[in-house]
Amino acid sequence: EKGTYPHYMLKEIDEQPLVMRKIIQNYQDDQGNLTIDQEIIDAMNDADRIYIIAAGTSYHAGLVGKQFIEKMAKIPVEVHISSEFGYNMPLLPEKPLFIFISQSGETADSRAVLVKVKEMGYKAITITNVPGSTLSREADYTLLLHAGPEIAVASTKAYTAQLAVLVILAEVTAKRRGMKLGLDLVHELGIIANAMEVLCNEKEEFESIAREFLTVTRNAFFIGRGLDFYVGLEGALKLKEISYIQAEGFAGGELKHGTIALIEEGTPVIALATQESVNLGIRGNVQEVAARGAYACIISMKGLEAEGDTFVIPEVHDLLTPLISVIPLQLISYYAALHRDCDVDKPRNLAKSVTVE
Ligand code: F6R
């Protein structure tokens, strides 16, 4: 039930700190260490390459998950859109492992790939919010999101839950492979939960950005570099699906190769700057678009703020910024939809789970 909330989406955005804490609990052993079934970790360790298969928001989580697994566990990862996998089937190595990410566990495009790879005799893990779902039943192993039912069509808490489960999977695999990470993930995820809470208490900021810049615009851009680019893709999808604004997530450096032609007086550009390594580059991009009349707003991590219209998010571990930088984007989309009188929880032309190919 949505209780006192006007929409499920807002309720589900607000549930994210709680979901984080539930995930930490569910993946901890008696000693407080993060743990995952030995069989799953063996399958990870045995793989010479991992294939993440997903659609929509879950695909965007996969893009970040690849970075977690490659940086922490040092296993190469490819991320594929499920509906494309059959056409552009990669050349598979000897021991591939497939990870399906699906909130509902019912997405037909993902299921088609799962059926195919099982036929080929490969192992598959499903990361899903729904125990007993089709993708969970048909895979060899399941990792649950513990996010509670997600009712709003636009996925929010499932995305951050997917990121948390992926980073836990990466960490436990890395430990098993004897890697020294120099990171206490339980502690860092606790910091994430607190940072999420801070952001959920700053809704007016995001409401005013949405009201001022997204109430009448026809288009909007989300730019970022590195991990921020992937979060921008998710921000753009959120805005498109519930506010019907044509939105694009873009790699900051790629703008000048064509898309900057679309920037006009007042075009909203939301830039993410959560990593030291990208800060200078993305600031340069913001100047480029501002010089062409864009309204640019920067969401930067504490310590990286500069002059201009900057919103500062709390400091968290470098690798984990997508878990919190997405929250301002979820809230901006929510309020944009609200100010444009859109049906937030049930956007036109969309269903919660897409059970046709
Ligand atoms: C975005 C959204 C869709 C789903 C996609 C995959 O807010 O809801 O893009 O993410 O249809 O769904 P699942 O994760 O259930 O496979």
Side-chain angles (χ1 to χ4, degrees):
E1 261 318 294
K2 60 181 187 231
T4 55
Y5 281 95
H7 298 99
Y8 281 108
M9 185 181 176
L10 194 62
K11 172 172 180 269
E12 289 163 5
I13 290 172
D14 267 358
E15 280 171 353
Q16 291 176 104
L18 191 83
V19 171
M20 257 331 100
R21 295 184 183 115
K22 266 179 69 181
I23 291 173
I24 302 169
Q25 266 177 13
N26 275 285
Y27 282 93
Q28 259 177 326
D29 65 14
D30 298 342
Q31 280 80 50
N33 296 312
L34 291 167
T35 180
I36 282 179
D37 280 354
Q38 194 58 44
E39 279 190 311
I40 298 182
I41 300 306
D42 288 345
M44 291 285 287
N45 189 41
D46 285 347
D48 48 15
R49 190 173 283 258
I50 290 169
Y51 293 84
I52 294 180
I53 313 286
T57 290
S58 298
Y59 170 73
H60 295 155
L63 294 172
V64 178
K66 167 187 161 84
Q67 302 304 320
F68 293 158
I69 296 170
E70 289 194 340
K71 295 215 162 71
M72 296 167 87
K74 314 280 185 217
I75 307 170
V77 181
E78 288 182 23
V79 193
H80 292 264
I81 294 172
S82 37
S83 64
E84 280 291 306
F85 188 83
Y87 308 119
N88 297 320
M89 179 90 142
L91 201 53
L92 296 174
E94 223 172 292
K95 293 182 290 178
L97 172 68
F98 287 83
I99 300 180
F100 291 83
I101 308 178
S102 175
Q103 188 285 129
S104 63
E106 301 299 339
T107 298
D109 288 325
S110 301
R111 181 177 179 238
V113 180
L114 176 56
V115 168
K116 193 169 200 159
V117 303
K118 288 309 300 169
E119 272 169 18
M120 294 164 87
Y122 299 127
K123 288 234 148 47
I125 304 172
T126 287
I127 299 180
T128 183
N129 202 24
V130 184
S133 57
T134 307
L135 283 156
S136 165
R137 281 185 279 110
E138 294 180 353
D140 300 273
Y141 318 106
T142 296
L143 291 170
L144 290 176
L145 297 179
H146 302 288
E150 192 179 61
I151 311 287
V153 163
S155 184
T156 53
K157 63 176 179 173
Y159 172 81
T160 45
Q162 286 163 345
L163 296 187
V165 170
L166 283 161
V167 76
I168 291 170
L169 179 62
E171 195 245 25
V172 178
T173 306
K175 283 219 171 117
R176 158 71 200 272
R177 290 161 75 84
M179 274 132 198
K180 294 265 165 295
L181 293 176
L183 148 138
D184 175 353
L185 190 56
V186 171
H187 175 71
E188 297 298 340
L189 288 174
I191 293 177
I192 293 285
N194 295 340
M196 285 174 159
E197 220 151 57
V198 169
L199 289 171
C200 288
N201 286 328
E202 291 175 341
K203 296 198 178 67
E204 318 75 58
E205 298 263 3
F206 307 118
E207 211 231 308
S208 72
I209 294 176
R211 185 173 4 95
E212 217 172 318
F213 301 101
L214 298 173
T215 307
V216 293
T217 190
R218 289 185 55 235
N219 58 3
F221 292 88
F222 292 83
I223 62 170
R225 290 169 176 251
L227 287 174
D228 292 339
F229 164 44
Y230 301 140
V231 178
L233 293 178
E234 174 57 10
L237 177 61
K238 271 319 63 106
L239 191 65
K240 278 186 271 204
E241 61 181 334
I242 61 168
S243 77
Y244 318 138
I245 295 170
Q246 173 138 33
E248 244 186 292
F250 233 79
E254 187 69 1
L255 269 180
K256 62 180 173 298
H257 298 290
T259 306
I260 200 163
L262 292 172
I263 303 293
E264 298 175 341
E265 197 60 41
T267 304
V269 177
I270 296 168
L272 292 164
T274 72
Q275 313 279 319
E276 179 95 61
S277 58
V278 303
N279 198 30
L280 266 181
I282 199 73
R283 303 255 165 217
N285 298 138
V286 167
Q287 279 169 5
E288 287 156 17
V289 295
R292 287 157 180 85
Y295 158 67
C297 145
I298 308 175
I299 294 170
S300 47
M301 195 161 77
K302 196 159 184 290
L304 299 176
E305 54 276 63
E307 321 88 75
D309 221 334
T310 298
F311 182 83
V312 181
I313 61 176
E315 197 172 350
V316 299
H317 191 283
D318 237 22
L319 204 53
L320 304 180
T321 58
L323 284 137
I324 63 157
S325 58
V326 75
I327 292 180
L329 308 190
Q330 295 169 344
L331 285 166
I332 287 170
S333 297
Y334 172 78
Y335 288 112
L338 213 60
H339 286 298
R340 294 165 78 98
D341 281 330
C342 300
D343 188 345
V344 171
D345 283 339
K346 285 201 173 57
R348 69 185 183 206
N349 309 342
L350 294 174
K352 182 63 183 164
S353 57
V354 185
T355 52
V356 290
E357 275 180 57

